[in-house]
Amino acid sequence: MTAFQNAIYADLDNMRFQYESESSIYTEKLVDGRLLFAGFQDNGTSIYEHMDLKDKPSFDLTIDGESLYYGWEYSDFVSTRDELGSTIGTLTLKHTRKSIQLKIITSCSGFGFFKRSMEITNLSNETTFGLTNVTPFKGCIWNITDNIADNLRDDTVAPYSVGRFKDLYWANEGNFAWQAIPVNTGIFFNSTFGMSGHSSPFFILRNNINGGYFVCQMGWSANWKTAFFADYFNDSRLPNKINLNFEVTPVTPSPARLIAPGETISAPDMHFGLSHVDLDTAVQNLHGYLRQFVLRQVGDGLQPVIYNQAGYMVPGYKQPDMSEEGLKHEVDIAAELGAELFMVDAGWYGNNGQAGTDWGNTTGDWHASDVLPNDLFPVYEHARSKGLKCGLWVEIETAGAKSKLAEEHPDWFLEQYGRTFPRVLDLSKPEVKQFVESEIIRLVEKYQLDMFRLDYNSSSHDGGFNLKDGRNENTHWRHMEAIYNIFERVGKRFPNLQLENCASGGGRTDIGIVSRFTTTWVSDWFKMPRTVRILNGMSMALPPEYINRSYSPGMEGNLDSQMHVIMMGHPMLCGITPSLAAANPAIMACAKKYISIYKDFIRSFHRTSKVYHHTPVIPGADGSGWAALEYVSEDRKKAVATVFRLVNADVDCYTLKFKGLDKGANYHVRIEPEGSEFVASGYALAREGLTIELDTALTSQMILLTLLP
């Protein structure tokens, strides 16, 4: 574990609180009952108190329709240090008019990053309060006053830009793009599906005048909103200024959460950092922070190569195609390829003997199908005899229309606008939460699982509503509390259990749920060229070893390129061949080669690698032009880079100039699939680069580098 320079300075005489994480300094001040976002520096130099911003609250809170961003008085401040090395400041505030207490918890964790948590406590002995809404974090990230008119170049330059995933819909995850923030015009982005969406509450703000990046993520797996406003004050009588204001908030119908007397709830966690560096370093700082302080890992954190049973065997996931014999054949394929974990996917459960019953209609009945008369035990025993670990797919938050669970418990579903919302269980109900958690534990223990895959294929949009104390409380908040709480306890109960997060592909890629799992499906679109853009973009928000990418039948492009994509993420394979007897030797050899490259080379430094995005923005409907990713070990002794020719490229060559190598060293270079090997200096690879020539679309080359003595 790396040691960091983290510190907190609390000036209680002036109610000024300064939080330091390496060279990033965040300052707040309690003034006239408001906790202000007083300033944020990225160069390690503190500002003077007279330079504090005086009018930017750092949060917003509305209880029963009454705004409570003001009216607070100081109660306590405590500074502590946790086992990971973070310095934590807890500021306790009490409201002067309403019986509400806030604990504002700020963790300084290194890499220039901070975590902001907010606990809301109802101090009343008899009154239940309704949370109308909360904005856990907001403020003014930059405040420019110098030579604005000249530096804006006559309004031809937007002072600030925001980088975010611009698409919200399935199969378009990770489409990172920059958008200018026009002066005096607010812009916002949000999700509406009841999940964090096929986008994510993640963004990067860029100062286009003075430089610097602000990176922010909210841990929230339901609907959200991020908003930005460039406030340009250009009155000729006064000094000009241009501020960039931001806010991040969960979005749900009110009341989002009823808070009982004496009860404490937590707002979504915020993770943010400011740095005056290049984009690659800003992203690397985020990855370093997430890996060390936020994300869950099992054992040494090395990700297993997964073989997923659904492929040739289960076309369309029709359940009657499931069989013990077929599963055992899939196990044999997985073992032959060199995979390490065998995943049983959708369709293993429920009364599946009924023709035409698909995988979604019997979720909720988590017992082996009648087409598996011996249950899954012989399959898992066969897998373990081949040296494979075992995983299981479960969509635990749903119950299909033909399930026994739906028949026996019709009151367990979301109620929305006076009707039952199909498939989605209401985990805000204690009995449903208890059932879900007990079923997860039962399945893990019954099959001695090594990996539990959670899927969620429903969009509840506004969520459901439950009548409590005469008020219709929305279900999103309690549902997310339940899911987070369940998997925190499951993770502690089974410390060696891999937890895989999947939600209709990339429906939940926010840091709230990802932090409780060990790997995540960022999308279930695996077709070229878009799969490259998904990997490219999502590896900005998440470290690549947490990003599940898969080879599946029906892909575009050549086999090498498909393998290059998945080996740069957390690899999963399925549908390589219908059987070992019918296997194509060339396909098997190619897959084996890249699995070995991943296990023997890439994985050895994957989870600590520095990621360089040579093409952070990939345009086009599916991904046009060229894409290049480079991963380098911390000691710069190993590196892997892949260059992809996508569609609509204007030229046949791309020159890759490596960013992370030791320029004073020599490297052994190996290029796949051509197989050429040679020695080159780090200086030449960085300054002159390697020219990759590909004269047809959807092809690629992978470059493996090893430092020579």
Side-chain angles (χ1 to χ4, degrees):
M1 183 172 65
T2 305
F4 298 99
Q5 179 62 47
N6 303 318
I8 296 174
Y9 301 97
D11 178 357
L12 298 183
D13 291 332
N14 294 298
M15 288 291 109
R16 193 169 184 266
F17 307 92
Q18 186 169 286
Y19 304 93
E20 296 186 2
S21 174
E22 296 191 352
S23 61
S24 296
I25 303 175
Y26 173 54
T27 305
E28 288 184 324
K29 190 172 183 179
L30 185 63
V31 180
D32 298 330
R34 298 180 300 162
L35 185 64
L36 301 181
F37 186 113
F40 212 159
Q41 285 69 52
D42 58 15
N43 56 14
T45 303
S46 177
I47 60 172
Y48 294 110
E49 186 174 353
H50 74 269
M51 298 171 65
D52 289 345
L53 298 175
K54 305 295 194 299
D55 60 347
K56 303 295 181 182
S58 63
F59 69 88
D60 200 357
L61 175 66
T62 305
I63 300 289
D64 290 329
E66 181 180 357
S67 180
L68 301 184
Y69 74 88
Y70 62 98
W72 298 96
E73 62 182 11
Y74 172 83
S75 179
D76 189 31
F77 185 85
V78 177
S79 179
T80 58
R81 197 168 182 86
D82 68 13
E83 66 278 3
L84 294 176
S86 297
T87 303
I88 303 168
T90 301
L91 173 63
T92 303
L93 304 174
K94 290 183 180 179
H95 203 264
T96 54
R97 298 188 313 279
K98 218 170 188 69
S99 297
I100 293 288
Q101 174 184 278
L102 284 186
K103 284 192 175 181
I104 308 293
I105 306 166
T106 306
S107 301
C108 311
S109 299
F111 298 98
F113 271 81
F114 305 83
K115 175 184 174 182
R116 163 56 61 88
S117 303
M118 177 187 291
E119 295 180 357
I120 308 168
T121 300
N122 181 350
L123 297 178
S124 170
N125 293 322
E126 53 187 33
T127 303
T128 295
F129 293 132
L131 175 65
T132 305
N133 57 61
V134 59
T135 300
F137 195 44
K138 61 184 295 188
C140 171
I141 194 62
W142 285 297
N143 176 33
I144 301 176
T145 58
D146 297 331
N147 303 315
I148 293 174
D150 181 57
N151 290 331
L152 286 178
R153 300 180 202 163
D154 300 321
D155 296 330
T156 61
V157 173
Y160 308 109
S161 298
V162 57
R164 86 290 183 216
F165 302 134
K166 69 177 187 178
D167 289 324
L168 296 171
Y169 296 96
W170 171 79
N172 288 280
E173 299 89 348
N175 190 3
F176 183 84
W178 292 104
Q179 179 169 329
I181 302 175
V183 295
N184 295 334
T185 303
I187 62 172
F188 70 89
F189 310 101
N190 66 297
S191 69
T192 59
F193 294 103
M195 303 180 285
S196 52
H198 295 272
S199 181
S200 178
F202 156 81
F203 62 86
I204 302 175
L205 293 175
R206 183 176 65 195
N207 188 323
N208 296 327
I209 298 177
N210 291 339
Y213 291 96
F214 175 69
V215 183
C216 186
Q217 298 197 53
M218 179 169 64
W220 181 247
S221 306
N223 293 333
W224 53 270
K225 177 181 176 181
T226 61
F228 313 95
F229 181 70
D231 184 4
Y232 183 23
F233 181 84
N234 61 346
D235 190 320
S236 60
R237 298 167 297 175
L238 297 169
N240 290 353
K241 63 179 181 178
I242 185 163
N243 298 333
L244 179 58
N245 303 295
F246 75 95
E247 61 181 57
V248 192
T249 184
V251 175
T252 186
S254 174
R257 179 68 156 79
L258 296 179
I259 312 173
E263 185 180 16
T264 297
I265 67 170
S266 296
D269 288 337
M270 302 297 307
H271 305 268
F272 59 95
L274 183 70
S275 54
H276 210 100
V277 293
D278 59 88
L279 178 62
D280 283 318
T281 305
V283 170
Q284 291 161 13
N285 288 339
L286 170 66
H287 290 175
Y289 162 73
L290 293 177
R291 285 162 168 160
Q292 186 155 329
F293 297 99
V294 179
L295 297 173
R296 182 176 184 267
Q297 70 174 66
V298 169
D300 57 12
L302 301 182
Q303 301 287 36
V305 177
I306 301 171
Y307 191 89
N308 198 75
Q309 138 275 312
Y312 281 104
M313 187 187 140
V314 192
Y317 290 136
K318 292 296 182 182
Q319 293 172 332
D321 296 315
M322 184 76 68
S323 70
E324 180 181 317
E325 181 183 10
L327 286 171
K328 286 182 175 179
H329 285 317
E330 292 285 293
V331 167
D332 293 338
I333 296 168
E336 178 66 22
L337 286 169
E340 297 163 310
L341 188 145
F342 180 74
M343 176 64 67
V344 176
D345 207 329
W348 60 272
Y349 45 83
N351 182 20
N352 303 328
Q354 182 179 354
T357 301
D358 66 37
W359 63 271
N361 280 331
T362 53
T363 59
D365 294 345
W366 304 116
H367 300 274
S369 163
D370 52 6
V371 299
L372 294 168
N374 298 312
D375 209 312
L376 287 170
F377 295 114
V379 176
Y380 284 150
E381 181 180 355
H382 184 58
R384 291 185 172 111
S385 74
K386 299 276 187 177
L388 294 166
K389 295 182 178 182
C390 298
L392 186 67
W393 178 100
V394 182
E395 194 180 13
I396 199 70
E397 298 160 82
T398 67
K402 296 183 180 180
S403 68
K404 293 179 181 178
L405 185 67
E407 180 181 351
E408 294 172 358
H409 296 285
D411 58 326
W412 281 16
F413 291 86
L414 285 184
E415 292 291 329
Q416 189 183 80
Y417 313 133
R419 61 179 177 82
T420 298
F421 194 89
R423 295 193 81 240
V424 181
L425 297 176
D426 183 359
L427 270 69
S428 72
K429 297 177 178 178
E431 65 274 22
V432 182
K433 177 185 175 183
Q434 182 180 2
F435 166 79
V436 165
E437 184 169 351
S438 65
E439 283 294 89
I440 294 170
I441 292 170
R442 180 182 67 81
L443 291 169
V444 172
E445 293 181 338
K446 175 181 178 179
Y447 296 118
Q448 294 297 295
L449 294 177
D450 300 292
M451 177 176 280
F452 182 94
R453 175 183 291 169
L454 173 70
D455 206 346
Y456 185 69
N457 293 289
S458 296
S459 298
S460 61
H461 301 285
D462 287 340
F465 304 89
N466 290 320
L467 191 63
K468 294 177 182 288
D469 299 327
R471 286 183 280 185
N472 265 325
E473 181 188 53
N474 190 262
T475 60
H476 276 323
W477 196 285
R478 288 189 190 268
H479 190 105
M480 294 305 25
E481 286 179 335
I483 284 296
Y484 292 168
N485 188 255
I486 286 170
F487 281 98
E488 284 171 7
R489 288 203 298 267
V490 168
K492 290 178 181 177
R493 180 167 181 154
F494 305 105
N496 296 318
L497 177 67
Q498 297 271 359
L499 293 172
E500 186 174 68
N501 166 45
C502 176
S504 188
R508 287 175 176 168
T509 59
D510 66 280
I511 207 65
I513 199 161
V514 170
S515 65
R516 292 161 170 92
F517 287 73
T518 53
T519 189
T520 288
W521 282 48
V522 296
S523 178
D524 57 7
W525 183 274
F526 304 119
K527 189 176 179 180
M528 290 281 281
R530 206 185 312 163
T531 183
V532 175
R533 188 171 68 191
I534 291 167
L535 169 68
N536 186 77
M538 291 307 302
S539 59
M540 301 184 81
L542 298 172
E545 70 273 15
Y546 286 84
I547 295 173
N548 190 303
R549 292 283 74 209
S550 180
Y551 169 87
S552 299
M555 302 292 98
E556 297 286 346
N558 65 26
L559 181 59
D560 288 278
S561 295
Q562 292 292 338
M563 291 294 168
H564 291 166
V565 177
I566 70 172
M567 299 308 161
M568 296 293 278
H570 181 188
M572 186 185 78
L573 301 94
C574 66
I576 292 288
T577 178
S579 67
L580 283 179
N584 182 314
I587 293 175
M588 294 294 286
C590 182
K592 287 181 181 181
K593 177 179 73 173
Y594 286 110
I595 289 173
S596 294
I597 287 174
Y598 174 77
K599 287 161 53 174
D600 299 337
F601 187 79
I602 297 174
R603 189 167 62 179
S604 67
F605 64 95
H606 204 197
R607 76 163 311 274
T608 58
S609 65
K610 292 187 175 182
V611 179
Y612 296 88
H613 291 85
H614 291 258
T615 51
V617 176
I618 299 176
D622 284 315
S624 297
W626 295 80
L629 273 172
E630 173 189 352
Y631 305 162
V632 182
S633 66
E634 281 189 305
D635 58 12
R636 298 189 291 179
K637 292 182 178 180
K638 292 182 179 180
V640 59
T642 305
V643 176
F644 300 91
R645 178 170 178 163
L646 307 178
V647 299
N648 298 323
D650 295 328
V651 294
D652 291 343
C653 295
Y654 181 92
T655 299
L656 176 66
K657 294 183 178 181
F658 287 83
K659 297 182 178 183
L661 302 183
D662 183 344
K663 297 181 180 66
N666 291 323
Y667 288 85
H668 175 269
V669 182
R670 170 183 165 193
I671 301 180
E672 293 290 349
E674 68 180 49
S676 59
E677 299 184 55
F678 54 91
V679 173
S681 72
Y683 183 85
L685 291 168
R687 297 304 182 197
E688 300 169 13
L690 289 180
T691 298
I692 305 298
E693 184 173 356
L694 299 169
D695 70 355
T696 189
L698 307 187
T699 55
S700 61
Q701 289 193 347
M702 174 178 278
I703 303 101
L704 312 171
L705 300 99
T706 305
L707 185 136
L708 294 173

